[in-house]
Amino acid sequence: MRKIRSYREVTHDTGSELLEQVVEQQERLAARLSKVGAVVAVASGKGGVGKSAVTANLAVALAGRGLSIGAADADLNGPSLGRMLGVSGSRLADRAEGVEPAIGPSGVRVMSMELLQQDDDAPLRWREPSTGGFIWQSALETGALREFLGDVAWGELDVLLVDVPPGTDKIARLLELVPGLDQMILVTNPSETARFVVSKSVRMAREAGVPTIALVANMTEYVCPSCGHASQLFQGDGARRLAEESGVPLWADIPFDPRLGASTDLGTSLITEDPNAASSRALLALADRVASALEGEAS
Amino acid sequence: MKFLCIECDNVMDFAERQLPGDGTLTAVFHCGSCGRDVAMLTNPMETQLVSSMGVKIGGREVPAQPLEMVRTSLEGGREEAFDISGDIPRRQTEEEAGEAAPRLGTVVWSLEAKHRLEKVPSFVRGMVKRIYIDWAKENGVAEMTPAVMDRARTDLGLEDM
C-alpha cells in the first residue's frame, strides 16, 4: 500500500479558509462582548419554570437601578422576550457596524427572533434541503445565537442577560459561544422533577467554570389576594433541597402572582406597576443580588 | 479539508468556487506542481453543512454582514424587520448638481439601480446595498447602475444573493 500523507502531516494552507473564518467569527463576537460589563445567563434546563418572565423582570429591575441592560432571547424556537419587554413589532436599524437592538419602554435593549419573523404563528424554519434538517439545525441555531450576540450593536452595556431555552444542550451551546460567562442564574420550581432536571444544569455550569451560579425558586406559593392565605402550587421543596445538596445559593424565592404573567403578556412589568407586590419584591431583591455579585466580581 | 495530489505529494490550493444555483457547490483545487485541477462537487446536503457554519469554502469576497446567516437562511423573514429607509443617495438632477456637489466618496444610485435594489426583499436589502456600495468604493465607481451591479455580482460571486 502506498504511503499517503495524513491530514495532520500536511501543514500547507490550502486556501479554503474555513478555519480562518470560524476564528474570525469568534473574534468578532469577543470584540462585541468586550464592551459588555457582564454576561448573565438565565437558564434552567427545565421548561415551563418561568425563565423568560424572570429574565424580563430582572432586566427591568436592573435597568431601574440605572444600569445599561441588554436582553438577548436565545430561545429561537419559542421567542417571548420581545413581547415581554414591550418591543414587539419594532424595526431594527440596519447599520454596517451592527444591527441596532430594539429598545423597550424600560430602556432595555432587546434582540429576539420574534422581531425577524413575518408571522406570529410561524415556527422557526430555515431555508435548507428538504431532508436532513436535523443534521444542521443545531449548527444554524448556534450560528443565529452567535449573530444575536456578536452582530447586534449592543453598545456599552453593564449587563447582557441571555434567556436560555430549556435543555442542557442549549446551556452548553451558550457556554461554547461565551466561555467567559459571568453568572448563570438557574430558575427552578419547588417540584422534585424540576430539581432532578436543574441539577444537571448546575453540574454543567460548575464543570464549565462559571464563576457565579445561583438558583431562583419560582412559583413557590400562591397568596390569595382576598384573604392573604398562602398555599403551595407544587408539592415538595425541590429548590431548597437542590440548593442544600449542590451548595449553590438560592438567591430568590418568587411567589406566584397572576399579575406578573398578565403584565409580561402586555410588555409591561409588575415591578414597576406594583413594586410592593411580594413577587416584585423578590425580583427586586434578585436584581440586588445579581448587581452585588457582579460588583464583587469586578472588585 | 485538504486535497493532496498523490502523484506529486503536493497539497492542492483552492482555486475557484461556483454556485450553480440548485443548492450544489463546485470547488476547484489546483496542484501547483503538476497543474492538475480537481473539482469537488457537493450535493445540497453537503453544501448546507458548510453554509450552516456561516463560512464559505475558499474564503469570503466581502466581509461578513450583520446577521448575515440569519438573513440568508431564515424562512419567512419579516418584511418590516429592518429600517433601511432614507439612506440610498440618488443621482442628482443637473439642477441639484449645480447647487451642491456630491460628497466625496459617496456612491449615488441611478433610478434604475434604485428600482432594482428595491426589488430585493427588505429582509436582506440593507446588507445587499452595503455590499454593492463597498464594492463601488473599492473600485472607484461613483454611480451605481444596473450594469455596475451586474459587474459587482460577478466579481464578488454573489449569484446566491
Side-chain angles (χ1 to χ4, degrees), chain B residues 5-104:
Chain B
C5 181
I6 298 173
E7 219 158 279
C8 307
D9 191 32
N10 185 58
V11 181
M12 303 178 90
D13 292 313
F14 172 79
E16 188 186 347
R17 179 181 60 221
Q18 291 183 7
L19 296 165
D22 58 359
T24 67
L25 175 139
T26 302
V28 178
F29 288 79
H30 176 77
C31 175
S33 179
C34 68
R36 181 176 292 144
D37 284 340
V38 167
M40 179 187 75
L41 311 176
T42 65
N43 66 31
M45 289 178 74
E46 292 158 342
T47 309
Q48 181 67 40
L49 268 174
V50 175
S51 68
S52 296
M53 294 165 65
V55 297
K56 296 186 175 181
I57 294 173
R60 311 184 60 95
E61 292 83 0
V62 288
Q65 296 292 313
L67 300 186
E68 180 180 311
M69 203 280 292
V70 170
R71 288 202 261 197
T72 53
S73 302
L74 181 67
E75 190 78 60
R78 185 174 148 230
E79 269 299 297
E80 300 297 313
F82 298 102
D83 183 3
I84 51 170
S85 58
D87 54 356
I88 302 176
R90 66 180 170 79
R91 181 172 54 194
Q92 294 171 309
T93 61
E94 278 178 26
E95 231 169 60
E96 288 168 336
E99 289 165 9
R103 214 154 29 95
L104 197 65

Side-chain angles (χ1 to χ4, degrees), chain A residues 5 10 12 14 16 21 25 89-92 94 96 115-116 118 125-127 136 140 144 147 151, chain B residues 2 9 11 13-14 45 52-54 56 58 67 69-71 73 75-76 78-83 130:
Chain A
R5 284 192 288 162
V10 171
H12 176 82
T14 64
S16 68
Q21 290 174 72
Q25 288 173 351
S90 295
R91 300 186 78 187
L92 307 166
D94 191 359
L115 300 171
L116 302 179
Q118 181 69 34
R125 288 202 180 108
W126 302 101
R127 288 199 183 100
W136 40 76
L140 283 164
E147 291 188 342
D151 288 356
Chain B
K2 292 170 183 172
D9 191 32
V11 181
D13 292 313
F14 172 79
M45 289 178 74
S52 296
M53 294 165 65
K56 296 186 175 181
L67 300 186
M69 203 280 292
V70 170
R71 288 202 261 197
S73 302
E75 190 78 60
R78 185 174 148 230
E79 269 299 297
E80 300 297 313
F82 298 102
D83 183 3
R130 262 195 307 275

